[in-house]
Amino acid sequence: QVQLVESGGGLVQAGGSLRLSCAASGRTFSNYGMGWFRQAPGKEREFVAAISWSGSNTYYADFVKGRFTISRDNAKNTVYRQKHSLTPEDPAVYYCAAHEAGSYYYARSFHSWGQGTQVTVSS
């Protein structure tokens, strides 16, 4: 399996921007589609965005379309998520994961989850 480590979380003002990174090690990173999910306290983990192994296809949850951008650099074994116009609804722990099989929109389709990075938004 691939090992994943997220970074880049922190405190940001509402309307601000943040870039999260997910560094991979272990098995060949470029073999996997990658996804970002988030989980707020008391809520289920939800899909945010995903990108195919080549980077040619991207997928977004409706609530982030136009605000978040997912990208990857296979040479650096890293996937990124640029977030703009953060709102008070965005605070959560954000996780990256490697896609195994099935729809990108479901957590059960992913394996090798990272430990998560906390994002907090101040008003």
Side-chain angles (χ1 to χ4, degrees):
Q1 291 193 347
V2 62
Q3 289 76 48
L4 303 171
V5 178
E6 301 94 336
S7 62
L11 175 64
V12 63
Q13 286 189 326
S17 299
L18 202 62
R19 189 175 81 160
L20 305 184
S21 299
C22 174
S25 61
R27 300 184 68 177
T28 306
F29 172 72
S30 60
N31 287 346
Y32 297 98
M34 298 295 297
W36 285 97
F37 289 74
R38 71 183 186 185
Q39 188 166 19
K43 295 186 178 181
E44 294 186 354
R45 190 168 298 189
E46 62 179 350
F47 170 77
V48 177
I51 188 167
S52 61
W53 65 270
S54 65
S56 59
N57 295 303
T58 57
Y59 310 86
Y60 295 96
D62 287 343
F63 61 81
V64 303
K65 284 182 179 178
R67 297 194 299 126
F68 293 4
T69 302
I70 189 170
S71 61
R72 67 189 296 160
D73 185 339
N74 286 343
K76 295 182 178 179
N77 288 352
T78 303
V79 62
Y80 305 99
R81 194 170 61 78
Q82 187 76 34
K83 304 161 54 176
H84 302 286
S85 302
L86 288 161
T87 74
E89 285 71 44
D90 291 323
V93 178
Y94 285 76
Y95 300 89
C96 70
H99 181 253
E100 183 171 11
S103 171
Y104 280 103
Y105 294 92
Y106 299 106
R108 62 175 180 264
S109 300
F110 291 79
H111 66 91
S112 300
W113 294 82
Q115 83 290 347
T117 184
Q118 177 73 52
V119 172
T120 304
V121 179
S122 64
S123 58

